[in-house]
Amino acid sequence: SPPVTLIPTLRRLLGTEPTPPAEPVVVQVPVPAPDRRVDLEPDVPRGLTVAAGYAWRLLLLGVAVVALFQVLAYFSQITVPVGMAILLAAMLYPLVTLLRRWGWPAALSAIVSLLLLVVVVSGLLTFVGTQVAAEWPELLEQSREGFQALVAWLGTLPFGIDDAPVNDWIAQGTAWLQTQASSLAGAAASVGAAFGNFFAGLATALVAAFFFAYQGRRIFAGSVETLVPRQYRASVDHAALRGWTSLVAYMRSAVIVAAVDAAGVALAALLLQVPLVAALFALTFFLSFIPIVGATVAGAVAVVLALVTHGWVQALIMLGAVILVMQLESTFLQPLVMGKAVDLHPLAVLLGITAGAIVSGILGALLAIPVLAFGVAFLRALRNPESPGVDVLESDEPDPLPPAPATA
């Protein structure tokens, strides 16, 4: 057997044998890959490089917007009624919410609100049509007398305008209309077809508005769950709720502003004994949904009626009344009823209406500001999700909603 030494044995017994050195720890630090991008400086300034990057991205974004517009325009018989249905649902939302808080079923609340809207609009148009039919002969006679007075006044001016050239202009206009009989007949046929498409779209919009008022939250939640990736659903849903809040606030304020404008113009027309007061009320109310432009056009019609039927003095008074109503609306009423829910600069409103009119005419001018209000609120909520606000679909809905799309 091998010899046993004393010192190693004592070290093992007393535990004083030195601990073997630990294995060295090797730390691997990743080395970054070399930057293979070509440095364009100083040959190309950095500002130009950044601008070029923004330029091609904006170009792609513009192409995408144009393509989206072309698709929407191609399916306009579907997209336009659906857009109008969304506006109607936003307009009816406070009433639907109130009925549901009173314990009404969701479907009954939606159908009653929609029927009430149809009855009010139909009754207003019927009353206006009756008044126009009753006062039309008197209006024609007053218009003829007013035109003759205008011609007589023009004869007193130093321009040498008398009845002869005016009669020649009228004869030339009548002859031109007779030569354009076939074109006018074609235009009348196209107008008839347009009326048919209008009523078909109106029926589609009313049906869609009912379903949006009845199950709009569930429809949107299902769309987000289907179309939006999971990691973005919560932010998109939250931003859309903010956009809907802004849209509801805009439609509510638009109804109040339109009613006040119509009442002011109708009151001025009534005091001045201008004919077709109810027609002026309805025209001003409906046109006031087009901001800035609509109320101006309705006021111009009221001034022309006053001029034709009562002369230039009453027309000037009517013009002053219209300007006063518009100033009260823009200075006091709009900030009071809109508040911060629809935070749009007047220049943005004007440019939006102009762009909408260029793209789609009257319909574009009507839809421009609601789309702008929703889009601005949507983008602000995406950029700053923690900003204060009230999500009306969450705070006002009396019945339990389906789970949020982010947790699906």
Side-chain angles (χ1 to χ4, degrees), residues 119 184 224 268 309 361 385:
V119 168
L184 293 177
V224 170
T309 57

Side-chain angles (χ1 to χ4, degrees), residues 3-96:
V4 179
T5 59
L6 179 60
I7 294 177
T9 303
L10 291 176
R11 285 179 177 176
R12 286 195 297 271
L13 292 176
L14 298 177
T16 59
E17 186 174 1
T19 304
E23 295 292 333
V25 179
V26 180
V27 179
Q28 296 182 353
V29 179
V31 179
D35 190 0
R36 300 181 181 275
R37 294 178 297 178
V38 179
D39 188 7
L40 299 179
E41 296 184 2
D43 298 330
V44 179
R46 179 172 177 78
L48 182 59
T49 305
V50 174
Y54 276 106
W56 72 262
R57 289 175 174 87
L58 291 176
L59 180 62
L60 290 180
L61 182 61
V63 171
V65 171
V66 172
L68 177 62
F69 174 75
Q70 293 295 331
V71 172
L72 294 178
Y74 182 78
F75 295 100
S76 60
Q77 293 186 355
I78 299 176
T79 56
V80 172
V82 169
M84 299 303 297
I86 294 175
L87 295 185
L88 290 177
M91 183 186 300
L92 296 175
Y93 182 80
L95 179 58
V96 173

Side-chain angles (χ1 to χ4, degrees), residues 178-380:
Q178 291 175 353
T179 59
Q180 300 294 324
S182 59
S183 301
L184 293 177
S190 63
V191 169
F195 267 104
N197 294 332
F198 170 76
F199 284 108
L202 179 61
T204 303
L206 291 177
V207 174
F210 164 73
F211 283 105
F212 289 155
Y214 172 36
Q215 291 181 329
R217 184 70 175 102
R218 291 180 174 85
I219 293 173
F220 178 77
S223 301
V224 170
E225 185 177 356
T226 304
L227 301 176
V228 180
R230 183 183 299 272
Q231 63 270 25
Y232 301 116
R233 290 175 187 171
S235 58
V236 170
D237 185 71
H238 173 73
L241 290 174
R242 293 290 177 84
W244 177 256
T245 302
S246 181
L247 182 59
V248 170
Y250 171 78
M251 294 304 298
R252 179 176 61 245
S253 62
V255 171
I256 297 174
V257 169
V260 172
D261 286 347
V265 173
L267 179 61
L270 182 63
L271 294 177
L272 293 175
Q273 297 182 353
V274 176
L276 304 179
V277 176
L280 286 176
F281 177 86
L283 180 67
T284 307
F285 179 78
F286 291 122
L287 288 182
S288 294
F289 284 96
I290 304 176
I292 301 176
V293 179
T296 303
V297 173
V301 173
V303 172
V304 170
L305 274 177
L307 176 64
V308 170
T309 57
H310 291 83
W312 63 271
V313 176
Q314 283 80 358
L316 289 179
I317 297 175
M318 189 70 202
L319 177 61
V322 170
I323 294 176
L324 178 62
V325 170
M326 302 309 161
Q327 287 298 318
L328 291 176
E329 170 213 324
S330 60
T331 305
F332 299 103
L333 187 59
Q334 282 191 359
L336 179 63
V337 298
M338 287 188 179
K340 292 297 182 181
V342 186
D343 191 8
L344 295 177
H345 195 275
L347 180 60
V349 173
L350 181 60
L351 295 179
I353 294 172
T354 305
I358 293 174
V359 172
S360 298
I362 297 178
L363 182 63
L366 178 63
L367 297 178
I369 304 308
V371 171
L372 190 61
F374 179 89
V376 169
F378 183 87
L379 293 178
R380 284 176 178 171

Side-chain angles (χ1 to χ4, degrees), residues 72-162:
L72 294 178
Y74 182 78
F75 295 100
S76 60
Q77 293 186 355
I78 299 176
T79 56
V80 172
V82 169
M84 299 303 297
I86 294 175
L87 295 185
L88 290 177
M91 183 186 300
L92 296 175
Y93 182 80
L95 179 58
V96 173
T97 303
L98 180 63
L99 294 179
R100 295 190 66 180
R101 283 178 174 173
W102 288 351
W104 290 37
L108 185 60
S109 301
I111 193 65
V112 168
S113 302
L114 191 61
L115 287 178
L116 181 61
L117 175 65
V118 172
V119 168
V120 170
V121 174
S122 301
L124 182 61
L125 294 179
T126 302
F127 178 72
V128 168
T130 303
Q131 187 188 40
V132 170
E135 297 186 12
W136 187 254
E138 181 181 358
L139 180 62
L140 287 178
E141 182 63 26
Q142 291 177 344
S143 300
R144 187 180 301 109
E145 294 175 357
F147 181 75
Q148 292 175 355
L150 176 63
V151 172
W153 176 74
L154 290 176
T156 61
L157 297 178
F159 303 112
I161 300 177
D162 53 11

